[in-house]
Amino acid sequence: MLVGGDDSRASKMAYQTFRQEYMQIPPVTRAYTTSCVLTTAVVQLELITPFQLYFNPELIFRHYQVWRLFTNFLFFGPVGFNFFINMIFCILYGIVICLYIYRYCRMLEEGSFRGRTADFVFMFLFGGLLMAIFGLFVNLVFLGQAFTIMLVYVWSRRNPYVRMKLLGVLKFQAPFLPWVLMGFSLLLGNPIIVDLLGIAVGHIYFFLEDVFPNQPGGGRILKTPYILKAIFDAQEEDPNYNPLPEDRPGGFAWGEGQRLGD
């Protein structure tokens, strides 16, 4: 009985620790990452199929399957290979994508979008809308990877002096990160149009939000709708909240970056 009681207390403490860490994740990052994980889980359990999730304009607008506008960003699709040895790279690549969703989404939300949840949500909506429009012309059915590259691109352009170390091997400046990931896609035989789409949308957002307003005669074109501010920015920020450092948001050193001079 004593051993059983110890196991129960240990399990309860583990759950409380996990819940505490989980709730410390910023809300948008927490919602998006959780949605991606749950979507992948239900597909793997064969409760639903990818055919119910993919982006299909005809099914969306003629059959009113509007959920496809969102679910195609939550499932990254299987990566097919013809040779068994490439399965190792498939697994590693999947881990890379999952960690980058969490890592750079959180760094943006706790960094340049700190206290601006509505603006962060608006970036999601703007980027998703552009990708859906471009997806009509390039025949892409899942846009989650492109969306991840967009997040990485915006973060990298806003942190140009951060030195990156990917998997402890490659060292480069942060602005090269999206292109390094595209190189990985090319190496694994994946279509780089997905990465190019994410880079293009990320650059459009970065230019309209960070570059054009500072140009002579420029101004802010992207303005967060009031309704989003009313929903997401209504609560005042907790003064005791202590965010994780921007260059190590997830508590792990994988792919860590360092600012020049450190």
Side-chain angles (χ1 to χ4, degrees), residues 10 21 23 31 42 45 66 88 97 115 146 158 167 171 194 197 251:
E21 291 296 327
M23 295 306 297
V42 295
L45 293 173
V66 293
I88 299 176
I97 292 298
R158 289 182 172 180
L167 299 176
K171 298 181 180 180
V194 177
L197 176 59

Side-chain angles (χ1 to χ4, degrees), residues 50-240:
F51 295 103
Q52 297 172 283
L53 305 175
Y54 76 98
F55 180 72
N56 186 315
E58 182 176 354
L59 293 177
I60 293 172
F61 297 109
R62 292 189 178 182
H63 297 273
Y64 308 108
Q65 298 181 8
V66 293
W67 65 82
R68 295 179 183 272
L69 287 171
F70 307 97
T71 55
N72 78 91
F73 290 99
L74 305 179
F75 182 69
F76 294 85
V79 182
F81 294 99
N82 295 323
F83 302 98
F84 174 76
I85 191 172
N86 281 338
M87 289 302 295
I88 299 176
F89 295 101
C90 175
I91 295 173
L92 289 176
Y93 187 72
I95 294 174
V96 166
I97 292 298
C98 290
L99 289 178
Y100 267 70
I101 293 173
Y102 169 77
R103 179 176 174 82
Y104 290 95
C105 187
R106 181 167 184 174
M107 280 199 289
L108 278 173
E109 192 168 1
E110 289 186 337
S112 56
F113 286 98
R114 170 86 168 136
R116 299 166 52 214
T117 303
D119 293 339
F120 195 45
V121 171
F122 182 64
M123 185 189 77
F124 269 56
L125 297 177
F126 176 79
L129 177 62
L130 277 186
M131 288 183 188
I133 294 174
F134 291 150
L136 297 174
F137 301 98
V138 294
N139 197 28
L140 292 175
V141 294
F142 290 107
L143 299 171
Q145 182 180 337
F147 192 82
T148 302
I149 296 297
M150 180 197 74
L151 296 176
V152 172
Y153 183 90
V154 174
W155 176 86
S156 67
R157 292 301 301 268
R158 289 182 172 180
N159 297 270
Y161 302 111
V162 174
R163 292 181 298 183
M164 307 297 301
K165 184 192 297 183
L166 184 63
L167 299 176
V169 179
L170 299 176
K171 298 181 180 180
F172 49 89
Q173 297 292 112
F176 292 101
L177 181 57
W179 305 100
V180 171
L181 293 179
M182 187 177 71
F184 267 84
S185 294
L186 187 63
L187 180 65
L188 296 176
N190 297 330
I192 61 173
I193 186 64
V194 177
D195 300 82
L196 290 174
L197 176 59
I199 291 173
V201 174
H203 182 74
I204 291 173
Y205 177 84
F206 175 77
F207 177 80
L208 294 178
E209 181 71 11
D210 293 42
V211 178
F212 185 69
N214 298 318
Q215 299 297 316
R220 287 183 61 88
I221 297 178
L222 299 179
K223 296 182 179 180
T224 303
Y226 174 78
I227 187 171
L228 291 181
K229 289 184 176 294
I231 294 174
F232 295 102
D233 292 344
Q235 297 181 353
E236 294 185 0
E237 189 175 340
D238 183 1
N240 297 320

